[in-house]
Amino acid sequence: MPPEETSPPFNLRICCIGAGYVGGPTMAMIASKCPHIRVDVVDLNEKRIAAWNSAELPIYEPGLDEVVAGARGKNLFFSTEVKDSIHAADIIFVSVNTPTKTFGVGAHKAADLRFVESVARTIAEVADSPKIIVEKSTIPVRTAATIQTILESSEKGLKHQVLSNPEFLAEGTAMADLGDPDRILIGGEQTPEGLAAVEKLVSVYANWVPRERILTTNLWSSELSKLVANAFLAQRISSINSISALCEQTGADVDEVARAIGSDSRIGPKFLKASVGFGGSCFQKDVLNLVYLCGHFGLPEVAAYWEQVIQMNDWQKHRFAERVLRTLFNTVTGKRIAILGFAFKKDTNDTRESAAIYVCRDLLEERASISIYDPKVSKEQICQDLGIGPDDPRVEFADSASQAAADAHALLVLTEWDEFRSLDFEAIFQSMVKPAWIFDGRSLLDHARLREIGFKVYSIGKPLP
Ligand code: NAD
Ligand code: UGA
């Protein structure tokens, strides 16, 4: 749909470049809370845009369908008309992907900023009035300076404002996080024009977020805070995962330890769930980006400190696969292993950096035969993640947990989907090769009951059987 001129009832036009996990839900929330603002979400990916305009949205997120359905076609529009939308917008959100660089200087650590740069160049080319450009993507500190330099190179004499407004939503709870955020963070230049731009963006969020939860800072604090928030969250998981290994050796129970330390109000109870390892598109990428920045700014000790968070996570994923191997008499060759859950966490179809990918790869390396069931992840996605063809004889794609488990030597729980708690484990036990093993990578199931049924159980951070 071609963007039209701003006309009543709209008194502001927002364009968001990038219709992904962040751009789509964030803009849907703004549109639903601000009927007086027209929101255009644009992307170069035609397939993705077509899906946003269909009944089957390109991402699964609880509550998203309803919010999109309520605003789409009224004040929320999805299109590939990137340039027209930039031209017509007052505020432009940049919500493109910022993956880890895979080549050249900073490979496997630094952020690949080519999509951000490309958007900045398009804005410089197309805009013929001053815009507020909002960094929604997670970027290295001082990226706003790069964007500003590109914009100023257009020689049109326009003074655009660049703001930082990082997103803190978590997948699976995106709509709840967006509707009732802990805080909104907005950083801008500390000049009259910069502060006015900040205030304009504050007024958008103030339509539903209490003012005291909207934090404003200088540009660099806001940019850096996003990386630091993810680094602290990832660090907590690596910390508890490191302790999970010690628990297994000593008879301590990691869930009890987490409860004991989390009851201290200074530590707090959240993000202390031991697991097979954190996944998702951002924790690893953002911690590595922080590591790279510390090195770049001449702080190798700080870089080494944060790098350990990633090393611990890598170790935890391999440790789990190795535990399966060792327990199954040091060989899984030709044995059927059932994988329950492939998404990086429950309530999402996202598999980026999912621990399941690493565990499956390790098992395939040992020539296991694996059967995978996930309620939301497609066969195509799993094949892509494992680098296999759809007819690879080593991998079967099951339609249910019970189908995956039939004739398996072991069942591995890798995602904490709620439905796994209430499976018919008696029937599953009957269908498996004995001794039938469950390896609970999420400490999700009722282990006492499973043992009663006859299973042998290993669970992350629990005393070894
Ligand atoms: P994504 O890959 O799902 O979506 C990015 C979209 O940008 C893609 O659809 C891509 O086609 C589009 N795009 C890239 N270049 C473009 C261009 N020049 N013009 C138009 N469209 C273009 O990524 P995402 O998960 O939405 O993440 C986006 C950013 O938000 C990243 O920086 C990420 O770190 C950050 N972030 C993500 C999450 C999350 O939960 N996924 C949470 C907070 C922050
Ligand atoms: C995370 C942050 O929580 C968001 O605030 C942030 O905006 C986002 O990254 C981002 O920048 O992309 P997300 O990755 O979607 O969100 O999901 P989380 O709930 O943080 O889970 C990340 C991983 O950690 C998952 O694999 C999860 O299973 C694992 N995890 C989480 C644990 O292993 N233990 C825990 O206690 C919590």
Side-chain angles (χ1 to χ4, degrees):
M1 175 177 313
E4 298 129 28
E5 290 305 304
T6 310
S7 57
F10 304 128
N11 58 15
L12 191 76
R13 286 189 69 146
I14 288 178
C15 155
C16 173
I17 307 175
Y21 283 86
V22 168
T26 310
M27 292 303 125
M29 184 57 71
I30 292 181
S32 94
K33 298 288 187 185
C34 312
H36 56 286
I37 298 178
R38 173 172 169 139
V39 182
D40 287 275
V41 187
V42 294
D43 204 295
L44 297 174
N45 184 332
E46 288 177 11
K47 211 172 136 202
R48 216 165 202 190
I49 289 298
W52 279 111
N53 283 319
S54 76
E56 187 113 351
L57 301 183
I59 62 175
Y60 171 71
E61 196 62 60
L64 176 63
D65 288 14
E66 293 82 339
V67 174
V68 170
R72 195 173 51 192
K74 293 183 186 136
N75 66 331
L76 174 66
F77 301 91
F78 295 93
S79 83
T80 52
E81 311 278 346
V82 178
K83 290 189 175 176
D84 286 352
S85 297
I86 291 173
H87 188 261
D90 304 295
I91 301 180
I92 302 165
F93 283 81
V94 180
S95 196
V96 298
N97 35 331
T98 51
T100 304
K101 236 183 131 186
T102 54
F103 53 87
V105 175
H108 310 300
K109 281 207 179 85
D112 185 344
L113 291 178
R114 76 181 115 151
F115 305 110
V116 172
E117 178 172 338
S118 153
V119 166
R121 288 184 186 281
T122 309
I123 296 172
E125 177 203 325
V126 172
D128 56 9
S129 60
K131 311 285 183 194
I132 296 176
I133 294 135
V134 183
E135 297 170 336
K136 187 51 112 176
S137 299
T138 303
I139 34 76
V141 58
R142 299 203 71 85
T143 299
T146 307
I147 296 178
Q148 198 63 267
T149 305
I150 292 171
L151 294 173
E152 281 164 12
S153 70
S154 83
E155 295 174 357
K156 289 185 189 166
L158 297 170
K159 181 71 183 132
H160 305 292
Q161 284 298 322
V162 181
L163 302 181
S164 160
N165 171 221
E167 184 48 59
F168 296 101
L169 69 80
E171 289 179 28
T173 54
M175 301 320 284
D177 296 341
L178 289 166
D180 185 23
D182 286 350
R183 80 315 208 170
I184 295 292
L185 179 58
I186 302 174
E189 257 184 52
Q190 302 300 292
T191 57
E193 299 79 17
L195 294 172
V198 168
E199 208 34 54
K200 190 148 196 170
L201 188 55
V202 167
S203 72
V204 172
Y205 285 106
N207 282 293
W208 78 98
V209 181
R211 284 263 173 171
E212 63 274 16
R213 281 200 240 153
I214 305 178
L215 313 182
T216 58
T217 65
N218 78 31
L219 261 172
W220 320 127
S221 307
S222 174
E223 288 184 336
L224 183 58
S225 296
K226 173 62 196 178
L227 292 186
V228 174
N230 273 358
F232 270 59
L233 291 168
Q235 181 198 42
R236 268 175 84 96
I237 305 171
S238 276
S239 296
I240 198 71
N241 280 345
S242 73
I243 298 304
S244 75
L246 190 56
C247 286
E248 289 168 27
Q249 300 300 329
T250 56
D253 177 324
V254 76
D255 288 333
E256 292 180 352
V257 173
R259 199 167 128 235
I261 63 167
S263 304
D264 185 324
S265 61
R266 293 168 302 175
I267 296 176
K270 294 184 182 168
F271 263 69
L272 286 178
K273 186 78 188 153
S275 68
V276 56
F278 61 73
S281 60
C282 292
F283 277 174
Q284 174 164 305
K285 148 177 106 61
D286 293 347
V287 178
L288 288 174
N289 190 351
L290 185 65
V291 169
Y292 180 75
L293 283 171
C294 294
H296 174 81
F297 287 106
L299 302 167
E301 291 79 5
V302 186
Y305 176 79
W306 287 107
E307 191 153 25
Q308 196 59 35
V309 170
I310 299 300
Q311 285 169 8
M312 181 53 59
N313 196 50
D314 287 341
W315 182 70
Q316 183 80 341
K317 293 180 278 190
H318 292 304
R319 184 172 85 80
F320 185 85
E322 205 179 308
R323 171 69 60 199
V324 175
L325 177 71
R326 284 221 230 120
T327 308
L328 299 183
F329 313 111
N330 290 312
T331 175
V332 289
T333 306
K335 287 180 183 166
R336 183 175 161 99
I337 311 286
I339 306 292
L340 298 197
F342 202 82
F344 81 97
K345 63 186 280 198
K346 74 170 180 177
D347 291 339
T348 177
N349 60 346
D350 195 346
T351 60
R352 290 178 289 181
E353 288 301 326
S354 177
I357 300 172
Y358 294 86
V359 172
C360 287
R361 280 194 196 146
D362 282 0
L363 294 172
L364 288 174
E365 187 75 16
E366 290 291 335
R367 304 193 178 174
S369 131
I370 57 180
S371 52
I372 305 175
Y373 168 68
D374 186 286
K376 289 288 174 198
V377 180
S378 68
K379 173 178 172 178
E380 293 69 33
Q381 186 62 52
I382 295 173
C383 288
Q384 190 182 318
D385 290 335
L386 295 180
I388 58 168
D391 301 319
D392 193 304
R394 300 169 301 167
V395 182
E396 188 184 307
F397 303 92
D399 293 328
S400 67
S402 337
Q403 191 189 338
D407 297 321
H409 288 250
L411 192 156
L412 278 45
V413 179
L414 301 185
T415 312
E416 71 282 23
W417 286 103
D418 289 334
E419 67 175 65
F420 296 160
R421 291 177 202 268
S422 51
L423 294 173
D424 181 353
F425 282 106
E426 276 90 358
I428 286 178
F429 180 73
Q430 294 307 328
S431 74
M432 287 176 66
V433 176
K434 311 297 179 308
W437 274 92
I438 289 186
F439 294 86
D440 189 348
R442 295 283 177 175
S443 186
L444 180 77
L445 306 177
D446 179 346
H447 301 143
R449 204 188 127 230
L450 293 174
R451 289 197 177 96
E452 252 172 54
I453 293 171
F455 283 105
K456 291 190 176 295
V457 181
Y458 161 86
S459 181
I460 283 281
K462 304 281 176 181
L464 289 178

